Amino acid sequence: MSNYNQRSGSYSSNYDYILLDSLASSSYSNLFRSDLKNLKIKTKNNTECQVLYIPSYGSQPAAILVRVPVSQISQTTKLLLDVHDTSTAFGSSLTTGNEVLMFDANSDTYSNFFMNYSGLSINNDSTDGGRFLRARFVPSLDGSSPTSLFTTVASGSSLSNNRVTVARFKRIGGNVDVNDNATYHGSTMGSVMMQVDGSLTTYGIDTKVTSLNWASSNKNYLMFNGAKTLVQVSSWDAYNSGSDDEGSYKQYHIHGRVGNGFSSSSDYLEGFSRNNPTKIYDNDFAEVEISPTFYATTEFEDFNYVDLKWLLIFPSPIIGANGIPTVTVTERTKTGIRLYKGSHEYTKAYRGSTLMWDANDEDMEDTGLHIPDKIINKNWDWVF
């Protein structure tokens, strides 16, 4: 992770989380299952990391959420991908619930995760044979009910741990706001992504932009249109604290980022608010709100909607402090020593006194050293 910087603030967890969503496009993708389930992740000192396998969807690739001990994270962090035969399939070892929250429309009941309102419905999904959650804009003139997708399980995690929100959509388009620190009928401060397609508003403005509240610029097109993955990051790094008549408060450097993935080629917007003077009296994150607004078409007959496949929320100071870490995949190889007696090449490999490989001389007719896939990249002690 070559762009890693140490946070100045404290971190209250023993673990950090990194989402690897671009492995399938790496130069070694031929070694991975399409769902990445033949991969185990280890730290450099060989400690196995708990992982959550996230399936691909349409054009959106499979991903792995990795839980890494904080003590193992630095500018020179190396995660080891233990690659097994593609017929091998592991199950997720990271459970969701406490620090890691996940809603999956294929299997979860939405009323356990979101405020219920008339714009929500579960629909069958022809893409993967599962389901998706549709959240439609339904105006509420008296303000007695929500008009957007609003979580009910995400409040309470520490601001100092920062927050990463990842939402995979079957459909996202038109006019949509996403606030990763929202309170129902209350004032909030967090990272807010706003998407505007002016042609789908009553104003009829011919503009398509995506903006982030902390950024000084926006994109002059819609980053999230169709089947897309939204990645939103909020970093709160306290530089001052105190108390007054309203209670104890902190003041923060605030770092926000919104993009469509974690790879180096992902499209994103990023912004900072240095030495923000606002006194924040709440030390915990609030809820996540996804708000489709205005209309779905220029006929102005149907209100806009989003179709959600899953929503993932987890703490990550490393991502909060550094944006999207620069992660590269390289191959670690073992090179054997070729031993000859006269013209004969000995083609046996041992680990200690155990014979690990007994190659047939007939397969070694050329001068190249052939190492079967079943032992390449393993930690053998090579003796020939």
Side-chain angles (χ1 to χ4, degrees), residues 45-261:
N45 68 355
N46 229 24
T47 300
E48 185 173 333
C49 300
Q50 289 194 340
V51 298
L52 179 66
Y53 298 101
I54 300 173
S56 61
Y57 181 72
S59 62
Q60 304 296 291
I64 299 180
L65 181 66
V66 185
R67 189 177 82 164
V68 186
V70 169
S71 60
Q72 298 293 314
I73 295 174
S74 70
Q75 189 170 0
T76 57
T77 294
K78 287 182 171 60
L79 297 179
L80 307 180
L81 278 62
D82 193 353
V83 183
H84 294 252
D85 186 273
T86 53
S87 62
T88 302
F90 299 114
S92 298
S93 57
L94 177 62
T95 57
T96 58
N98 300 310
E99 284 191 325
V100 178
L101 303 173
M102 186 173 185
F103 166 76
D104 185 345
N106 282 352
S107 58
D108 295 323
T109 303
Y110 68 81
S111 59
N112 293 335
F113 292 83
F114 304 104
M115 292 181 65
N116 202 351
Y117 76 104
S118 59
L120 295 184
S121 63
I122 284 286
N123 298 267
N124 293 327
D125 189 350
S126 60
T127 300
D128 66 351
R131 304 187 300 174
F132 62 84
L133 175 63
R134 174 161 293 179
R136 184 180 293 279
F137 176 56
V138 180
S140 176
L141 298 180
D142 61 3
S144 60
S145 62
T147 61
S148 55
L149 189 64
F150 213 106
T151 63
T152 58
V153 297
S155 295
S157 58
S158 173
L159 282 178
S160 65
N161 286 3
N162 301 320
R163 169 175 280 179
V164 180
T165 302
V166 186
R168 181 158 287 181
F169 295 95
K170 177 179 174 66
R171 178 196 183 273
I172 180 173
N175 302 282
V176 180
D177 300 342
V178 180
N179 185 348
D180 68 0
N181 188 31
T183 55
Y184 185 51
H185 285 321
S187 60
T188 61
M189 178 178 288
S191 291
V192 180
M193 184 278 291
M194 180 177 291
Q195 213 177 240
V196 178
D197 184 345
S199 65
L200 301 178
T201 69
T202 53
Y203 314 126
I205 302 171
D206 186 18
T207 182
K208 294 184 178 183
V209 297
T210 302
S211 61
L212 174 68
N213 59 328
W214 302 118
S216 59
S217 61
N218 55 35
K219 298 285 186 177
N220 60 354
Y221 56 90
L222 296 183
M223 292 166 59
F224 308 102
N225 190 18
K228 293 289 185 179
T229 300
L230 177 148
V231 175
Q232 196 159 329
V233 179
S234 259
S235 171
W236 299 74
D237 196 357
Y239 70 91
N240 188 32
S241 62
S243 60
D244 56 20
D245 293 341
E246 296 184 45
S248 299
Y249 65 83
K250 290 183 180 180
Q251 293 168 297
Y252 294 90
H253 307 296
I254 304 173
H255 173 203
R257 187 168 182 140
V258 61
N260 57 24

Side-chain angles (χ1 to χ4, degrees), residues 272-330:
F272 300 86
S273 178
R274 302 291 190 191
N275 300 316
N276 188 290
T278 305
K279 297 178 180 179
I280 306 297
Y281 295 90
D282 192 347
N283 296 320
D284 298 325
F285 275 106
E287 300 294 336
V288 173
E289 181 180 18
I290 302 173
S291 306
T293 60
F294 289 102
Y295 296 92
T297 71
T298 55
E299 300 299 323
F300 304 128
E301 294 178 349
D302 296 321
F303 285 113
N304 193 30
Y305 61 93
V306 297
D307 291 338
L308 181 69
K309 283 300 296 183
W310 51 258
L311 179 69
L312 180 66
I313 303 169
F314 59 92
S316 182
I318 192 172
I319 295 175
N322 300 281
I324 297 174
T326 301
V327 178
T328 56
V329 179
T330 57

